Each structure stands twice: as structure tokens, then as C-alpha cells.
Amino acid sequence: MLYEFIATIAAGFGLAGIALIITHLSKLAGKRAPKWLIPLFAAIGIFGFQIQQEYSWFDQQVTQLPEGVTVVKKIEESTWFRPWTYVKPQILRFIAADIGNATVQVDNPDVHLVNLYLFERRRGVQKVSQVIDCSAPARADYVLPAKDSTLTIDEHVKQTTAWRALAKDDPLFTSVCIS
């Protein structure tokens, strides 16, 4: 985030420098450039760089994902204080599933354990383990069993989780169960 701040300031100074050159060239031509030209160019540089960063964040994050991790959901947002998002909404959050390291339940081959990674702009990545039942189809948060538990994993999952229905066309279901 510090590098982004420094780059934003540099973009502002860079465009202000271009406006300064325009101002000096206009003096040489015998005309006067408006006084507001330099601050306007600085503001354009700052806002332009920030908008570009907001829109390129998702692509930058996806290219850094390891092999086997796929994006299963993108959340696009439009907000009033970013009026340009009404033209093209920004992706500020997304969910990626670690399909490459998903494990199949030994007792029940329709049950898979997969890690989901929740990404959000300017926040750390959160990891959530999910149990996917391909026969239902449904998903549930995975709760680790206690150390002294004598339940099988299948029994533990049935007793400790709240299942939520999963549509058959949901990208999480198709990524885990069909591929």
C-alpha cells in the first residue's frame, strides 16, 4: 500500500510536470496558460492512476494465484462516490477455490473438503475450509473435530455443520464435483 501511495504521488507530479512544460511553451509562444492547468493535470494524474489500479487489481491477483486455485465468484460493485463504476462496475472482492488440493472423503466419495480463499481489495486474504457434498448438492463450513473425538469425519461433518444448498450451476459445485 505504501508503494501504491508513492506511485500515486509520482503520477500527480508527473502530469503536473507536463502541465508545467505546457505553461512554459505557451509563454514562449506569447500566450498565457491558465493558472489552474497545473493543479488540474496533477488531479488527473492522481485520479487516473487510482482508477487504473482499482480496475487492474483483480487481474493482478488472479495472475498470482498458484496452479490449481480457480476463481469461483467475483463480486462487482458500484458506489456513489465512484461515479465511473456505474459505467463499468469494479471487482473489489472475489472467492478462489483450491481445487488442486481438494480432498475426497474416504467414507463417502461424494464429500469433498476444499479450501476457499476470500480476497478483498486492501485487506488480507482469508482462508475458509468448506465441505462440499456433491450428491446433495450442498456446502458447509468445516469445523475441526476435537482431539478426543471418536467420530468418523463423515459423522463429525453431519453433526457439526449447517448445510446450505448449492445450485448445480454454481461455479464452486462445477469446479469441485464435475471436473
Side-chain angles (χ1 to χ4, degrees):
M1 198 161 165
L2 177 65
Y3 293 124
E4 187 176 331
F5 176 72
I6 292 169
T8 302
I9 299 301
F13 275 116
L15 265 114
I18 291 172
L20 189 62
I21 292 169
I22 293 170
T23 303
H24 285 297
L25 290 175
S26 68
K27 282 183 186 176
L28 290 174
K31 298 184 180 187
R32 288 199 64 168
K35 291 185 177 193
W36 47 261
L37 190 66
I38 295 172
L40 175 69
F41 271 53
I44 290 171
I46 289 170
F47 279 106
F49 180 77
Q50 279 300 306
I51 292 169
Q52 185 271 336
Q53 283 296 102
E54 292 286 337
Y55 280 107
S56 65
W57 171 81
F58 172 72
D59 293 328
Q60 291 171 357
Q61 294 297 314
V62 169
T63 58
Q64 294 176 2
L65 292 176
E67 195 168 323
V69 178
T70 59
V71 175
V72 292
K73 187 168 186 179
K74 297 184 281 189
I75 297 99
E76 295 182 337
E77 295 179 359
S78 297
T79 54
W80 66 270
F81 56 89
R82 293 182 182 123
W84 53 88
T85 60
Y86 290 106
V87 176
K88 183 181 179 205
Q90 292 177 325
I91 300 171
L92 297 177
R93 295 181 290 161
F94 71 94
I95 301 172
D98 191 359
I99 306 301
N101 293 321
T103 57
V104 179
Q105 173 66 19
V106 176
D107 301 339
N108 185 354
D110 287 332
V111 176
H112 299 264
L113 177 63
V114 64
N115 289 325
L116 298 181
Y117 298 98
L118 312 175
F119 290 83
E120 188 170 355
R121 176 102 170 108
R122 293 192 173 100
R123 293 215 174 171
V125 179
Q126 293 179 327
K127 178 179 151 186
V128 177
S129 296
Q130 291 279 294
V131 178
I132 309 294
D133 187 351
C134 294
S135 62
R139 69 176 178 88
D141 293 332
Y142 179 69
V143 181
L144 289 172
K147 289 183 180 181
D148 57 348
S149 175
T150 58
L151 299 173
T152 66
I153 293 177
D154 197 34
E155 292 169 338
H156 171 74
V157 166
K158 286 180 183 176
Q159 290 181 6
T160 62
T161 56
W163 289 96
R164 283 168 252 149
L166 199 59
K168 291 202 180 226
D169 63 343
D170 189 290
L172 180 60
F173 175 78
T174 57
S175 298
V176 173
C177 299
I178 295 176
S179 50

